[in-house]
Every structure is written in C-alpha cells, then in structure tokens.
C-alpha cells in the first residue's frame, strides 16, 4: 500500500488530498458540495473525482490503502450519520455507500475530530498521543485525541468542547439552546459579543469605538496596546483557559492545540489562555503545552487520510 | 488460558481475586498492605500470596493469562508510578518488578480507572463501551472509559473528575490546592460541608440540627421528608449533575455509573443528579443513562482482572 485519500466534506466544497502512507501530501484539490436533493450527489461526485485522480496519476486500486472522510456531523464508529445540518443528508451509511462506489476501504469521522487527528499526525501535535484541539471559528469546535485515537463517544458526539458550560450565571442563549457555553465567549462571534458588552459598560477610551467590531479588530487593538481590548482578551482567555483546565483534568493531554480563524491572532493569544489555564489546572496537568495549529485548512484532509491508515 | 488475577492495592489492605477469563470470580481474599520501608514488601507479599493460591488450587502458570493491578496513584501506560500518597512508593516500575517476581504478564492501572473498567465488565455498565464512573467517597474519584478502554492520559492522570472546577466563586480550598472542585460539594465530606453551611445560614427547622452531620444523615433526613435536607441534596445534585453534563459533552458516554459510599443512599440520589444533568446537557447527550454501581468493593479486583485480558 503506497497511497491513501483524505476527504474533508464541508457545506460548500469538498477538499481532497492524495497522500503517501508516510504522510506526504502529493496533490490536493476541491470539488463543489452539491447539497440539493438531500445531498444525493455528494458521495458519487467524490467517487468520480477520486477515480479521475487515480487515472491521471496512473495509480492502481491495489496501491491504495483506502479513503478517510471527515463529515460536519456526529458519526458513529461504524461510519453512519443520523443527520447533518448543512449537507442535506438524513440517515446515511457513509462508509458502506462509499465503499460500494469505489471498491476501496473507507473510514469516516467527525470533521472536528478528524482535524485534531491531522494536527497530531502532521501538524502542531506531531509525535503526541494525548492531545486536545480547539478550533476557534464562527463557533468553537474541538477534538480530543486519546492514546492516538479520536474520542468518538457513544453518539459520535465526543469532544463537543464548544458546549462546555463555563458560566452558570449567563442569561443569553447559545445556538445549541443552553446558556453559558464556551462558544458564547471564545468563538469569533463570542469575542465580538464580549467586546460589545464591554463597550456598552462605560465610555472608556478605546480605538474599538466607531469601527466594526470583530475578533480580529479586538486582537489588532490589543497589539497596539489598547487597554480595553486587553480587558476583552483577558476575559476571553479566562473562559477558554478555565475550560481547558477542566478538560485537561479529564483527558490529561500533553498538548493543547489552538486553531481556527481566531488563532490567526498568533502567539499573543496563547499567553492569555495559558495564564488562566495554569491558575485553575489540576497539579498533574500544569505542564500541558499550548501551541497554535499549523496545518490551517489542510488539517481536515490530513486527519481524514490518517483515519484509514 | 483459563484464569487471571485481579489485584486492588489500597493503603490498608490488598484485595485479590482469582477469575476465569470469562469473568467468573472463583475466590477472593485480602492481605495486609505493608507500607513500612517505602512499601518494599508490597509486591513480594502479593507475589507470594498469588503463588500460594495457585498451589492451593493446583493451577499451573501456563493456565494463567496474567495479573492486573489497580494502584491508588497515577500510572503511566507502561506501568510506572512516579509517587504514591499512601503506599510509601516513590518512582516504581510496578509492571516490570511484579513480572520478575511472578514470571507472569502484568498490567497496571490507576485504581479509579480500574474500578470503572470493573463496572463495565461485570457490573452496572455491562455491555457498554463508553462510560463514566464517579466514585463518591471521602473524595470524588472517577474513571472514563472510551471505546472499552480507560482514558489514561499523558501523565496517567486521566479521569480526575473530582477536580473539575464547578464553582468559580468558591473561596474555600480543596485538598488539591484549587478552589471550587467538584470534590468540595459531592464527596461525603463535601455534602457534610454543604449541610454545615446550610444550617448556619438561618434557623430553619430540620432534624439535622443537634446530630452529627454526615452525608448519610442528610440522605436519611431526606428520606423522612426533611425540607432542609432536600435543599442540601438539591445543591449537591446541581453541582454533580452540571459537572456530568460538561463531562458528557466531551466523553459522550452511554451510561454514567455512580458508586462509592455516598451512593449507598440508593436510587433517590440518582434523581437529583439526573434532573440537573438534563437541564445542562448538550442535546446529543440528554439520553445518557444514570445507574448505581453494583460491584461495591469488588469493582477494583474485577477491573484489574479485565486489564490483563
């Protein structure tokens, strides 16, 4: 076996990578995600695209280890999805269907868990076996790697870090229906919300007033020494750091990897999270390392490929 | 292979069980834990006791799968302990030493993780692969089972449920040095502390006044319809239920098993925990089952035996 495919299905595009089994990314490309008619074309489109690539590269099926896929939904260990928010699928036996379409072995995982696996295999968690990845984007996603394997759970909903309750006093609701979820404070929209609330609190001078608020604007102001921006980031860091301390008490990782759009703020972000983490971490976990994700959008295809190996 | 030993080392006694590999407990007994001289006699005493039992039962070494051991300390995946609070051991290569003493295969785990494994194999979690066990004793211990295996973690400190922070406003300190740990509200001593604080708050009439406060006294009063006792149990249930909701968002178990001395209060306890759990659980986890542990003190030897199989 020399090669494998890593496939990362999103609501708009499907990202695909061709890898050697040693982890070299030989080629990557995208196809459109056709979600119409309950997403019935998605898997056939993928199968067709993989077949074309194998013909182009003159790769035989016997040289392929198989196909790993990440999906934006809970996935059971046997590759079955019950429902998806943005692919159009209801109940779908993804593993079985794609195996029938391609004649190759298929492994399926949740996209956040798969991205975590990618960072462990080829990115910021390289060489580690116990890792937490937090993805700070529009929402907060996550993946927990235990002894080299993603924590899938009984409903395929393991690692839902964004919905840890971090504030029992909160009255605003999270998209999930609960109140006080980490996602309400540590996602891009959460940070914007913290900023909005801070600006409304008093009329402290800050460069954030009069501009469109965003997580990026807050971190940019922080880097220019803005005091109010620092208060906002400190609050974000406390929520995220304390949540990670609780998570570490359970999962005992050697490294916590922070990725997603918000992490583009860079190393400055890690300090605020790590300081608050250390303040509340159980003694056995105080030396847990914090690092930024390094694979960006490729984490999904990398982790998907690793799933099948 | 027909048989295996499960060994549960505690600070006072070592519990030992002889099992068939199918999970039948054929015999169990205890020996004293000799902690003097840095606990140097503990492993030789165990080896001697196992040898005697095999002679008594006329079992050959070839019929033995091996020996599983639970230890009251973090244990790495390769069976090494860095330190123990109550056995006298510092750094100790438990697996290697006991293998040399007995000539049999040895697997070592943390006692709380091992007890969880026992309940999964032969007790309240039978047939389940994703499970959380919470042990409410003097402290709060726990074990998280992921896909049939205990979550060990990078430092052997996985599943430290008792040190999840559940109250960021707390000013009293937990034994671990932090503030607001679950153990401060849900252990036997934690419940006593909640009761003490409640009684001091006002002079509400309750049968708890004038008697020695304990978790048992609180649950006994609850069963007799005492209103103040119910408030205390409700508070306990909120802390434990909310902590389990957070834990479930990460570990996604199908069942949460509650054991330890406090759980002797019986089924009445589960209702208070489950109600609060459902209030805060992520939607994918709302159907998680709550059950009482069934193996009592045998959970440790059962799980230890399972470790080696």
């Amino acid at each position: 076996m020399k090669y494998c495919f890593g496939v990362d299905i999103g609501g708009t595009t499907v990202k695909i990578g061709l890898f050697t089994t040693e982890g070299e990314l030989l080629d990557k490309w995208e196809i459109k995600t056709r979600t119409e008619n309950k997403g019935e074309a998605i898997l056939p489109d993928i199968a067709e695209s993989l077949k074309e690539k194998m013909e182009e590269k003159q790769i035989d099926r016997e040289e392929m280890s198989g196909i790993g896929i990440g999906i934006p939904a809970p996935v059971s260990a046997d590759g079955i999805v019950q429902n998806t928010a943005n692919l159009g699928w209801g109940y779908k036996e993804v593993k079985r269907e794609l195996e029938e379409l391609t004649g190759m072995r298929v492994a399926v995982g949740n996209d956040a868990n798969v991205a975590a696996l990618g960072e462990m295999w080829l990115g910021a968690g390289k060489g580690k076996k116990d890792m937490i990845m937090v993805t700070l984007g529009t929402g907060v996603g996550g993946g927990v790697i235990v002894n080299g394997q993603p924590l899938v759970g009984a409903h395929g909903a393991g690692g839902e870090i964004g919905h840890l309750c971090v504030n029992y006093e909160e009255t605003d609701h999270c998209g999930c229906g609960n109140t006080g979820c980490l996602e309400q404070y540590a996602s891009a929209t959460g940070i914007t919300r913290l900023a909005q609330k801070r600006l409304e609190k008093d009329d402290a001078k800050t460069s954030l007033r009069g501009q469109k608020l965003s997580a990026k604007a807050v971190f940019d102001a922080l880097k220019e020494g803005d005091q109010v921006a620092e208060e906002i980031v400190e609050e974000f860091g406390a929520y995220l750091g304390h949540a990670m301390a609780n998570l570490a008490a359970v999962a005992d990782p050697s490294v916590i990897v922070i990725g997603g759009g918000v992490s583009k703020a860079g190393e400055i972000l890690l300090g605020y999270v790590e300081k608050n983490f250390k303040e509340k971490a159980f003694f056995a976990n105080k030396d847990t390392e914090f690092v930024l994700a390094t694979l960006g959008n490729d984490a999904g295809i990398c982790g998907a490929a690793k799933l099948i190996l």
Side-chain angles (χ1 to χ4, degrees), chain A:
Chain A
M1 306 294 188
K2 289 195 203 154
Y3 308 103
C4 59
F5 285 117
V7 180
D8 180 15
I9 308 185
T12 316
T13 60
V14 179
K15 297 185 178 64
I16 309 179
L18 171 66
F19 292 82
T20 66
T21 52
E22 273 76 45
E24 192 187 349
L25 176 56
L26 300 174
D27 195 4
K28 64 173 175 170
W29 67 102
E30 293 184 7
I31 62 175
K32 206 174 159 305
T33 309
R34 293 197 287 150
T35 57
E36 59 269 24
N37 296 325
K38 297 190 174 168
E40 63 177 16
I42 298 175
L43 292 181
D45 285 354
I46 292 171
E48 184 58 30
S49 180
L50 300 184
K51 190 169 157 236
E52 285 169 13
K53 186 59 64 177
M54 287 166 68
E55 283 167 7
E56 176 197 324
K57 301 277 183 187
Q58 301 191 311
I59 296 173
D60 284 341
R61 202 187 286 167
E62 289 65 42
E63 297 175 282
M64 296 294 309
S65 256
I67 306 159
I69 308 196
I71 289 172
V75 182
S76 69
D78 47 357
I80 296 174
V81 167
Q82 296 297 334
N83 211 354
T84 58
N86 52 8
L87 299 185
W89 296 347
Y91 175 89
K92 199 166 189 74
E93 298 182 7
V94 180
K95 177 181 157 67
R96 186 186 57 74
E97 285 191 33
L98 195 63
E99 283 183 342
E100 286 175 11
L101 286 164
T102 62
M104 290 187 271
R105 280 197 316 132
V106 172
V108 189
N110 165 266
D111 61 352
N113 290 341
V114 162
L117 197 60
E119 288 287 346
M120 185 196 77
W121 189 36
L122 300 173
K126 210 165 175 171
K128 303 291 166 57
K129 286 166 61 186
D130 296 282
M131 189 190 108
I132 292 169
M133 178 159 174
V134 196
T135 305
L136 307 174
T138 316
V140 172
V144 177
I145 305 285
V146 174
N147 199 21
Q149 298 292 328
L151 194 169
V152 174
H155 310 82
E160 283 288 355
I161 294 172
H163 302 286
L164 289 171
C165 182
V166 294
N167 180 3
Y168 290 100
E169 316 298 318
E170 182 61 73
T171 52
D172 291 354
H173 283 80
C174 176
C176 77
N178 282 345
T179 54
C181 292
L182 178 60
E183 184 159 300
Q184 292 180 277
Y185 311 93
S187 62
T189 41
I191 295 168
T192 307
R193 183 175 152 274
L194 290 181
Q196 188 68 48
K197 285 191 178 255
R198 176 62 191 86
L199 294 193
E200 285 165 5
K201 203 180 83 178
D202 60 28
D203 56 3
K205 197 163 166 289
T206 163
S207 65
L208 291 170
R209 289 192 200 279
Q211 62 167 305
K212 189 164 160 25
L213 285 179
S214 68
K216 183 173 185 309
V218 171
F219 280 102
D220 285 349
L222 171 73
K223 288 171 190 167
E224 284 157 20
D226 189 287
Q227 194 55 46
V228 170
E230 173 154 34
E231 288 176 39
I232 298 162
V233 174
E234 173 61 34
E235 198 180 353
F236 150 84
Y239 282 118
L240 183 53
H242 293 167
M244 290 302 106
N246 268 1
L247 200 47
V250 175
D252 186 19
S254 55
V255 61
I256 295 178
V257 177
I258 300 187
V262 173
S263 73
K264 290 183 183 151
E267 292 283 336
I268 194 170
L269 175 151
L270 295 182
Y272 287 88
V273 183
E274 201 167 353
K275 183 190 76 172
N276 283 287
F277 172 86
K278 282 200 198 308
E279 192 185 298
K280 294 301 290 177
F282 185 57
F283 63 85
N285 310 119
K286 291 219 193 264
D287 68 350
T288 305
E289 231 183 304
F290 280 78
V291 295
L292 294 171
T294 60
L295 299 179
N297 288 334
D298 288 349
I301 54 172
C302 294
K306 176 65 176 159
L307 263 190
I308 195 68
L309 295 177

